[in-house]
Short mmCIF file of all heavy atoms in Angstrom, two decimals:
data_model
loop_
_atom_site.label_atom_id
_atom_site.label_comp_id
_atom_site.label_asym_id
_atom_site.label_seq_id
_atom_site.Cartn_x
_atom_site.Cartn_y
_atom_site.Cartn_z
N ILE A 24 0.84 -1.22 0.00
CA ILE A 24 0.00 0.00 0.00
C ILE A 24 0.86 1.26 0.00
O ILE A 24 0.34 2.37 0.09
CB ILE A 24 -0.96 0.01 1.21
CG1 ILE A 24 -0.23 -0.27 2.54
CG2 ILE A 24 -2.06 -1.03 1.01
CD1 ILE A 24 0.24 0.93 3.27
N GLY A 25 2.19 1.10 -0.12
CA GLY A 25 3.03 2.27 -0.17
C GLY A 25 4.50 1.92 -0.04
O GLY A 25 4.87 0.73 0.00
N ARG A 26 5.34 2.97 0.04
CA ARG A 26 6.79 2.78 0.16
C ARG A 26 7.38 3.81 1.10
O ARG A 26 6.90 4.94 1.19
CB ARG A 26 7.48 2.88 -1.21
CG ARG A 26 7.20 1.70 -2.12
CD ARG A 26 8.02 1.74 -3.38
NE ARG A 26 7.74 0.57 -4.22
CZ ARG A 26 8.37 -0.59 -4.09
NH1 ARG A 26 9.34 -0.72 -3.20
NH2 ARG A 26 8.06 -1.61 -4.87
N VAL A 27 8.44 3.41 1.77
CA VAL A 27 9.19 4.30 2.66
C VAL A 27 9.94 5.33 1.81
O VAL A 27 10.52 5.00 0.77
CB VAL A 27 10.19 3.48 3.52
CG1 VAL A 27 11.13 4.41 4.29
CG2 VAL A 27 9.43 2.57 4.47
N THR A 28 9.94 6.57 2.27
CA THR A 28 10.70 7.64 1.60
C THR A 28 11.98 7.98 2.36
O THR A 28 12.99 8.31 1.76
CB THR A 28 9.85 8.90 1.45
OG1 THR A 28 9.32 9.28 2.73
CG2 THR A 28 8.70 8.66 0.48
N SER A 29 11.94 7.93 3.69
CA SER A 29 13.11 8.16 4.54
C SER A 29 12.96 7.31 5.79
O SER A 29 11.85 7.21 6.33
CB SER A 29 13.23 9.63 4.97
OG SER A 29 13.42 10.50 3.88
N GLY A 30 14.06 6.73 6.25
CA GLY A 30 13.99 5.95 7.48
C GLY A 30 15.35 5.83 8.13
O GLY A 30 16.38 5.85 7.46
N SER A 31 15.34 5.72 9.47
CA SER A 31 16.60 5.68 10.21
C SER A 31 16.34 5.31 11.66
O SER A 31 15.20 5.35 12.14
CB SER A 31 17.29 7.04 10.15
OG SER A 31 18.48 7.07 10.93
N TYR A 32 17.40 4.97 12.34
CA TYR A 32 17.39 4.98 13.80
C TYR A 32 17.39 6.42 14.24
O TYR A 32 18.17 7.24 13.73
CB TYR A 32 18.61 4.25 14.36
CG TYR A 32 18.76 4.36 15.86
CD1 TYR A 32 17.89 3.72 16.71
CD2 TYR A 32 19.80 5.13 16.40
CE1 TYR A 32 18.02 3.83 18.09
CE2 TYR A 32 19.94 5.25 17.77
CZ TYR A 32 19.05 4.59 18.62
OH TYR A 32 19.20 4.70 19.98
N ALA A 33 16.51 6.78 15.16
CA ALA A 33 16.41 8.16 15.67
C ALA A 33 17.23 8.27 16.95
O ALA A 33 16.83 7.75 17.99
CB ALA A 33 14.95 8.51 15.94
N PRO A 34 18.38 8.94 16.90
CA PRO A 34 19.32 8.91 18.04
C PRO A 34 18.78 9.50 19.33
O PRO A 34 19.11 9.01 20.41
CB PRO A 34 20.51 9.73 17.51
CG PRO A 34 20.45 9.59 16.03
CD PRO A 34 18.98 9.58 15.72
N PHE A 35 17.97 10.55 19.26
CA PHE A 35 17.45 11.16 20.49
C PHE A 35 16.23 10.41 20.99
O PHE A 35 16.09 10.17 22.20
CB PHE A 35 17.11 12.63 20.25
CG PHE A 35 16.77 13.37 21.52
CD1 PHE A 35 17.77 13.73 22.41
CD2 PHE A 35 15.46 13.70 21.83
CE1 PHE A 35 17.47 14.41 23.59
CE2 PHE A 35 15.15 14.37 22.99
CZ PHE A 35 16.15 14.73 23.88
N LEU A 36 15.36 10.00 20.10
CA LEU A 36 14.15 9.27 20.48
C LEU A 36 14.45 7.81 20.80
O LEU A 36 13.65 7.15 21.46
CB LEU A 36 13.11 9.34 19.36
CG LEU A 36 12.61 10.73 18.98
CD1 LEU A 36 11.66 10.64 17.80
CD2 LEU A 36 11.94 11.42 20.16
N GLU A 37 15.58 7.32 20.29
CA GLU A 37 16.01 5.93 20.48
C GLU A 37 14.94 4.96 19.96
O GLU A 37 14.58 3.98 20.62
CB GLU A 37 16.34 5.66 21.95
CG GLU A 37 17.51 6.52 22.46
CD GLU A 37 17.90 6.22 23.88
OE1 GLU A 37 17.04 5.73 24.64
OE2 GLU A 37 19.07 6.48 24.24
N LYS A 38 14.46 5.25 18.76
CA LYS A 38 13.49 4.40 18.08
C LYS A 38 13.87 4.32 16.61
O LYS A 38 14.59 5.17 16.09
CB LYS A 38 12.07 4.99 18.20
CG LYS A 38 11.55 5.13 19.61
CD LYS A 38 10.19 5.82 19.61
CE LYS A 38 9.65 5.97 21.02
NZ LYS A 38 8.34 6.69 21.04
N ASN A 39 13.34 3.32 15.93
CA ASN A 39 13.47 3.22 14.48
C ASN A 39 12.22 3.84 13.86
O ASN A 39 11.10 3.40 14.15
CB ASN A 39 13.64 1.77 14.03
CG ASN A 39 14.95 1.18 14.51
OD1 ASN A 39 15.96 1.88 14.60
ND2 ASN A 39 14.95 -0.11 14.82
N ILE A 40 12.41 4.83 13.01
CA ILE A 40 11.28 5.60 12.47
C ILE A 40 11.42 5.76 10.96
O ILE A 40 12.50 5.55 10.39
CB ILE A 40 11.16 6.99 13.12
CG1 ILE A 40 12.44 7.82 12.87
CG2 ILE A 40 10.88 6.86 14.63
CD1 ILE A 40 12.34 9.26 13.37
N ALA A 41 10.32 6.16 10.32
CA ALA A 41 10.35 6.36 8.88
C ALA A 41 9.19 7.26 8.47
O ALA A 41 8.20 7.41 9.20
CB ALA A 41 10.26 5.04 8.13
N MET A 42 9.34 7.85 7.29
CA MET A 42 8.23 8.49 6.60
C MET A 42 7.93 7.65 5.36
O MET A 42 8.84 7.10 4.75
CB MET A 42 8.55 9.93 6.23
CG MET A 42 8.67 10.85 7.44
SD MET A 42 8.69 12.63 7.04
CE MET A 42 10.43 12.87 6.73
N ALA A 43 6.65 7.57 5.01
CA ALA A 43 6.26 6.75 3.87
C ALA A 43 5.01 7.30 3.22
O ALA A 43 4.17 7.91 3.89
CB ALA A 43 6.01 5.31 4.32
N TYR A 44 4.90 7.10 1.92
CA TYR A 44 3.65 7.40 1.22
C TYR A 44 2.81 6.13 1.16
O TYR A 44 3.31 5.06 0.78
CB TYR A 44 3.91 7.91 -0.19
CG TYR A 44 4.22 9.39 -0.21
CD1 TYR A 44 5.51 9.85 -0.42
CD2 TYR A 44 3.22 10.33 0.03
CE1 TYR A 44 5.81 11.20 -0.42
CE2 TYR A 44 3.49 11.68 0.05
CZ TYR A 44 4.79 12.11 -0.17
OH TYR A 44 5.07 13.45 -0.15
N VAL A 45 1.54 6.27 1.53
CA VAL A 45 0.63 5.13 1.52
C VAL A 45 -0.70 5.55 0.91
O VAL A 45 -0.99 6.74 0.73
CB VAL A 45 0.39 4.58 2.95
CG1 VAL A 45 1.69 4.14 3.59
CG2 VAL A 45 -0.32 5.62 3.83
N THR A 46 -1.53 4.56 0.61
CA THR A 46 -2.88 4.81 0.14
C THR A 46 -3.65 5.57 1.23
O THR A 46 -3.63 5.16 2.41
CB THR A 46 -3.59 3.47 -0.15
OG1 THR A 46 -2.80 2.75 -1.09
CG2 THR A 46 -4.98 3.71 -0.70
N PRO A 47 -4.33 6.67 0.90
CA PRO A 47 -5.00 7.48 1.93
C PRO A 47 -5.97 6.73 2.81
O PRO A 47 -6.15 7.07 3.98
CB PRO A 47 -5.71 8.56 1.09
CG PRO A 47 -4.87 8.71 -0.13
CD PRO A 47 -4.40 7.32 -0.44
#
């Protein structure tokens, strides 16, 4: 239903996060 556009380990939040476009 979509694809990741940016993703990384978040050093301050200490989580793995991403932005992605998906079906609304």
Side-chain angles (χ1 to χ4, degrees):
I24 51 92
R26 288 187 179 273
V27 171
T28 54
S29 297
S31 176
Y32 173 70
F35 189 75
L36 299 177
E37 298 183 335
K38 299 176 180 178
N39 294 327
I40 60 174
M42 292 193 273
Y44 277 106
V45 301
T46 304

